[in-house]
Amino acid sequence: TQLLKQSPQFLSIQEGENLTVYCNSSSVFSSLQWYRQEPGEGPVLLVTVVTGGEVKKLKRLTFQFGDARKDSSLHITAAQTGDTGLYLCAGAYAGGTSYGKLTFGQGTILTVHP
Amino acid sequence: EAGVAQSPRYKIIEKRQSVAFWCNPISGHATLYWYQQILGQGPKLLIQFQNNGVVDDSQLPKDRFSAERLKGVDSTLKIQPAKLEDSAVYLCASRHRKTEAFFGQGTRLTVV
């Protein structure tokens, strides 16, 4: 079974704090994507990481792909109330019968309090 | 560029009734996915199409769920008969080769 485990499942913090969300698997991915989803909407892509060890920054968000391409992390610096939402990681498989398959973690619900 | 379109946005039905959802992917995207998302959880893949062929439907409850993608463009997902546990958001996504997947807004289904 190909599983993606996200942690923590819930995160409640004050505005201005930093946080990290983790995404782990025993499978190797060709790429890993992070999405943010607000209530009543579909997931919106934040970033795609492809190369092992890759680090990408998007304003206050930093994404890292593990060297072995099995895990990833999302770090938010100085969280704002607008960061509140469901954060999802999704791994894409490259080969065999799983080609193109996109598997999601269970998500991290982030609440940032003013 | 137009995004993934889904309809309806909301649907309320009684258990044992039938329901169908429609998805129009981004033009030129060969891969189309249907996901089921329970409130507060990550999306679960139901079926993946490559053009009009099924690539993966291992998690589709085939006794009640069916999906088709005629002509490799639009797709429909049907539930017949619906159960209470089918209440969820049904998301459609499309993807072009190795690029990222883009999602529609989803259809929120409530089975009462």
Side-chain angles (χ1 to χ4, degrees), chain B residues 4-29:
Chain B
V4 177
Q6 287 189 249
S7 67
R9 285 295 311 273
Y10 306 94
K11 190 75 177 178
I12 301 174
I13 62 172
E14 295 183 350
K15 58 183 179 182
R16 291 188 289 273
Q17 283 188 327
S18 302
V19 65
F21 312 127
W22 174 82
C23 173
N24 179 229
I26 294 173
S27 178
H29 282 196

Side-chain angles (χ1 to χ4, degrees), chain A residues 23-95:
Chain A
C23 181
N24 296 287
S25 175
S26 57
S27 301
V28 176
F29 299 109
S30 61
S31 66
L32 195 139
Q33 299 164 20
W34 284 93
Y35 292 83
R36 179 169 170 265
Q37 186 178 22
E38 297 195 35
E41 301 294 329
V44 175
L45 181 71
L46 295 174
V47 79
T48 299
V49 285
V50 178
T51 306
E54 182 177 5
V55 177
K56 280 191 174 179
K57 292 191 175 183
L58 186 67
K59 296 183 181 179
R60 294 177 295 102
L61 278 59
T62 301
F63 305 86
Q64 188 163 5
F65 202 14
D67 292 339
R69 291 187 289 136
K70 293 182 178 180
D71 52 81
S72 182
S73 64
L74 157 62
H75 182 79
I76 301 179
T77 303
Q80 300 175 357
T81 55
D83 295 329
T84 293
L86 175 66
Y87 287 82
L88 298 159
C89 65
Y93 299 93

Side-chain angles (χ1 to χ4, degrees), chain B residues 7-112:
Chain B
S7 67
R9 285 295 311 273
Y10 306 94
K11 190 75 177 178
I12 301 174
I13 62 172
E14 295 183 350
K15 58 183 179 182
R16 291 188 289 273
Q17 283 188 327
S18 302
V19 65
F21 312 127
W22 174 82
C23 173
N24 179 229
I26 294 173
S27 178
H29 282 196
T31 305
L32 185 149
Y33 309 87
W34 281 103
Y35 285 87
Q36 180 193 58
Q37 187 176 25
I38 304 295
L39 185 65
Q41 297 182 16
K44 178 185 115 176
L45 180 67
L46 293 176
I47 189 166
Q48 175 185 343
F49 291 96
Q50 185 70 21
N51 296 307
N52 62 345
V54 175
V55 173
D56 186 341
D57 64 356
S58 57
Q59 298 192 84
L60 187 73
K62 298 180 186 63
D63 58 332
R64 298 184 300 106
F65 286 63
S66 64
E68 60 181 8
R69 192 184 183 195
L70 299 176
K71 301 180 182 179
V73 182
D74 292 5
S75 178
T76 56
L77 176 69
K78 296 179 182 178
I79 307 175
Q80 180 180 9
K83 292 185 176 181
L84 296 176
E85 59 261 36
D86 297 332
S87 294
V89 175
Y90 290 85
L91 295 164
C92 178
S94 70
R95 188 179 185 200
H96 177 62
R97 294 183 182 176
K98 294 184 179 180
T99 64
E100 300 86 355
F102 294 90
F103 284 80
Q105 290 182 299
T107 296
R108 180 176 296 280
L109 173 68
T110 303
V111 183
V112 298

